[in-house]
């Protein structure tokens, strides 16, 4: 007998089933090049869609406020132990629902409202939660922003040092959402120590590279390290905090009960799966390919006349100045979207355009690399980007690039079985 409890999604809610089928189709036939996005494995999707979503588990393994937590305790311990093994950190909290909540918990653990934070300016590639005036961080703390140099467009470490001595912040923050160069965590950690400040790195973008040693680790140099788990780390959409043992209790208390209530145990379990995948040899090969693909893309776009901020990339992301070709970032984003290439408009350092227009687009290689694309595909795609942006209003150019994008996507399928199933259910 069919009841409220045993129907398929297509039977229970055809509208949402159609949304999911549409999204599966969008992912399958477009080139996902948003630097902060990726595709999780089938195993991670399975963990996220599991019965663990039903469990309340406020507290931590062995010390919960609810009965019946003996099973989910195993999942959280697996996640914590694997994260420690990957990153070599002393303490880890795997409960933050997001990067934003991970950062909020660190601020609450380390600071009082009104304290001074030295953080990277969003307009120069920083993070929203590192002190943007409209974000809780900018509203709760006194923010002193630092940025990149005008000539090299790389982090101005001398400025950080000068500002740290001038403002005596209580926390020095680093980590970026649109920065393509290696970050010198050692130097920033030392600057923080020299002025008696705590230090924190948000490695959300580069966590996967750090996990396999392809970007220097912040762990030895920073008091706190936060990350999301869904970007290069390729796990579920969520956050995590690592810290020195001396801060463990304060961080745990800040996550629960200060910022969050019950953890999302299905997501915690999915993080454990993500970390297990990150410990496998294929994960390092994947990250190496992410970097190689980004490098080739940057070289090809540069050869096509675009300006790559800082001249290139050492990681998975690049910031491309499209204003040199007479387009705003918003126009470029739209033209590429219509041609089947998904990117986001992004301010470039010292941008002359307002944020909703911007002079650049941010492009990343993690998701395409997950599909199995390599250097030859990057060269072809760079050519298509250039073609689509050379004549952004042309319907024939858009159509021609769109068709080639679709054909390439068909050669590198993603979530194929899901797509076939949901198309069958919703057609
Ligand atoms: N919003 C995320 C990004 O796209 O990079 C993190 O700030």
């Amino acid at each position: 007998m069919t009841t409220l409890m045993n129907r398929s999604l297509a039977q229970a809610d055809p509208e949402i089933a159609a949304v999911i089928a549409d999204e599966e189709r969008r992912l399958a036939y477009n080139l996902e090049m948003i630097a902060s996005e990726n595709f999780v494995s089938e195993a991670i999707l399975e963990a996220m869609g599991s019965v663990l979503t039903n469990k309340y588990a406020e507290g931590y393994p062995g010390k919960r406020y609810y009965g019946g937590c003996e099973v989910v305790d195993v999942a959280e311990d697996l996640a914590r132990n694997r994260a420690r093994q990957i990153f070599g950190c002393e303490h880890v909290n795997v409960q933050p629902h997001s990067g934003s909540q991970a950062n909020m918990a660190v601020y609450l653990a380390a600071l009082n409202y009104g304290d001074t934070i030295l953080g990277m300016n969003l307009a120069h590639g920083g993070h929203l939660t590192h002190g943007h005036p409209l974000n809780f961080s900018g509203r709760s703390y006194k923010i002193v922003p630092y940025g990149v140099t005008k000539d090299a467009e790389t982090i101005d470490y001398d400025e950080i040092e000068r500002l740290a001595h001038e403002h005596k912040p209580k926390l020095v923050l680093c980590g970026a959402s649109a920065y393509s160069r290696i970050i010198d965590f050692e130097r920033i950690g030392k600057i923080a120590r020299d002025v008696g400040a705590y230090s924190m790195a948000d490695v959300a973008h580069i966590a996967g590279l750090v996990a396999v040693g392809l970007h220097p680790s912040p762990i030895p140099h920073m008091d706190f390290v936060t990350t999301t788990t869904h970007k290069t780390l390729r796990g579920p959409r969520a956050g995590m905090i690592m810290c020195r043992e001396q801060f463990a209790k304060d961080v745990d208390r800040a996550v629960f009960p200060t910022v969050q209530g019950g953890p999302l145990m299905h997501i915690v379990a999915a993080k454990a799966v993500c970390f297990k995948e990150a410990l496998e040899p294929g994960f390092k090969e994947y990250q190496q390919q992410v970097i190689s693909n980004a490098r080739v893309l940057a070289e090809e776009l540069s050869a096509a006349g675009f300006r790559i901020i800082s001249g290139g990339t050492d990681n998975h992301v690049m910031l491309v100045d499209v204003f040199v070709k007479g387009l705003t970032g918003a126009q470029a984003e739209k033209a590429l979207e219509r041609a089947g290439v998904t990117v986001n408009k992004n301010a470039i350092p010292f941008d002359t355009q307002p944020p909703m227009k911007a002079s650049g687009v941010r492009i990343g290689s993690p998701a395409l690399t997950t599909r199995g694309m390599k250097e030859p595909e990057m060269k072809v795609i760079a050519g298509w980007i250039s073609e689509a942006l050379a004549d952004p209003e042309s319907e024939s150019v858009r159509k021609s690039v769109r068709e080639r994008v679709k054909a390439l996507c068909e050669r590198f399928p993603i979530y194929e079985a899901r797509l076939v199933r949901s198309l069958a259910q919703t057609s």
Side-chain angles (χ1 to χ4, degrees):
M1 191 183 69
T2 307
T3 73
L4 279 185
M5 283 301 288
N6 65 10
R7 291 174 295 176
S8 71
L9 179 62
Q11 289 168 327
D13 190 339
E15 287 158 289
I16 287 295
V19 168
I20 293 172
D22 284 347
E23 181 65 357
E24 282 167 352
R25 215 168 323 174
R26 190 188 70 82
L27 294 179
Y29 301 126
N30 289 276
L31 294 172
E32 181 52 72
M33 301 185 79
I34 291 180
S36 51
E37 294 188 15
N38 211 333
F39 303 126
V40 298
S41 65
E42 290 287 349
I44 290 173
L45 279 177
E46 197 176 328
M48 286 195 277
S50 71
V51 295
L52 301 190
T53 189
N54 296 321
K55 191 71 199 95
Y56 251 120
E58 285 180 6
Y60 292 97
K63 284 177 280 175
R64 305 281 194 187
Y65 288 82
Y66 291 80
C69 288
E70 66 278 10
V71 178
V72 291
D73 276 4
V74 177
E76 187 161 345
D77 277 335
L78 281 169
R80 297 200 294 191
N81 292 339
R82 288 171 184 168
R84 271 197 293 264
Q85 195 183 337
I86 294 169
F87 292 101
C89 54
E90 291 176 14
H91 179 73
V92 60
N93 187 306
V94 294
Q95 292 190 6
H97 303 332
S98 69
S100 187
Q101 279 160 309
N103 290 350
M104 184 185 277
V106 170
Y107 305 158
L108 287 166
L111 309 173
N112 293 310
Y113 290 123
D115 281 348
T116 301
I117 295 178
L118 188 54
M120 189 165 174
N121 197 337
L122 180 67
H124 283 214
H127 276 282
L128 183 71
T129 55
H130 291 194
H132 190 280
L134 296 178
N135 182 257
F136 77 89
S137 51
R139 296 174 64 164
S140 312
Y141 304 98
K142 181 173 172 254
I143 305 296
V144 178
Y146 64 85
V148 299
T149 59
K150 214 160 189 168
D151 47 351
E153 297 174 303
T154 53
I155 291 175
D156 191 341
Y157 295 97
D158 292 338
E159 186 193 30
I160 300 179
E161 190 156 12
R162 186 181 58 73
L163 291 171
H165 284 273
E166 185 183 332
H167 294 275
K168 299 275 183 298
K170 194 149 174 212
L171 178 67
V172 177
L173 276 184
C174 59
S177 68
Y179 187 69
S180 63
R181 296 307 191 177
I182 299 291
I183 298 176
D184 188 346
F185 294 125
E186 187 174 356
R187 178 147 185 213
I188 297 174
K190 182 172 180 321
I191 293 170
R193 277 194 305 283
D194 285 350
V195 297
Y198 295 123
S199 54
M200 177 187 129
D202 178 340
V203 295
H205 265 260
I206 54 170
L209 307 180
V210 172
V212 296
L214 291 174
H215 187 293
S217 171
I219 296 289
H221 311 295
M222 296 280 146
D223 295 315
F224 306 93
V225 175
T226 62
T227 185
T228 52
T229 49
H230 50 269
K231 297 185 176 102
T232 49
L233 199 50
R234 209 166 61 179
R237 183 164 295 281
M240 172 166 93
I241 302 169
M242 295 170 273
C243 65
R244 299 193 200 287
E245 192 55 44
Q246 72 194 90
F247 303 114
K249 275 204 175 84
D250 289 337
V251 161
D252 285 353
R253 229 178 278 129
V255 173
F256 169 81
T258 310
V259 174
Q260 296 183 176
L264 312 173
M265 292 315 298
H266 55 310
I267 302 298
V268 169
K271 285 178 214 181
V273 180
C274 156
F275 301 152
K276 187 160 195 299
E277 290 176 0
L279 286 162
E280 290 177 28
F283 194 72
K284 182 160 191 178
E285 287 161 29
Y286 162 68
Q287 299 295 347
Q288 267 158 343
Q289 192 64 54
V290 164
I291 293 175
S292 306
N293 283 354
R295 240 174 233 159
V296 170
L297 261 173
E299 282 164 12
E300 295 288 316
L301 289 170
S302 179
F306 293 96
R307 195 175 74 83
I308 309 298
I309 302 306
S310 84
T313 179
D314 302 325
N315 57 24
H316 63 296
V317 63
M318 70 213 66
L319 202 46
V320 183
D321 180 347
V322 292
F323 208 62
V324 291
K325 297 261 194 177
L327 291 173
T328 64
Q331 288 167 326
E333 177 191 303
K334 200 81 229 140
L336 290 174
E337 185 178 74
R338 284 163 14 99
V341 179
T342 315
V343 302
N344 65 279
K345 63 180 166 296
N346 211 105
I348 62 172
F350 310 101
D351 209 325
T352 53
Q353 296 296 306
M356 285 309 283
K357 287 189 176 160
S359 295
V361 289
R362 186 182 64 161
I363 300 187
S365 59
L368 294 190
T369 309
T370 293
R371 288 182 88 139
M373 293 185 192
K374 295 199 164 80
E375 292 85 350
E377 288 75 39
M378 297 304 120
K379 288 188 181 168
V380 169
I381 292 166
W384 294 344
I385 291 175
S386 180
E387 208 178 318
L389 295 186
D391 199 351
E393 300 302 326
S394 162
E395 185 52 24
S396 61
V397 170
R398 181 203 72 77
K399 213 166 154 237
S400 155
V401 174
R402 185 79 195 80
E403 274 162 18
R404 282 173 278 159
V405 164
K406 185 159 184 278
L408 178 66
C409 287
E410 279 166 351
R411 282 180 41 220
F412 294 90
I414 185 83
Y415 302 136
E416 210 176 6
R418 284 174 186 275
L419 182 64
V420 169
R421 194 171 54 236
S422 41
L423 289 179
Q425 282 172 347
T426 55
S427 57

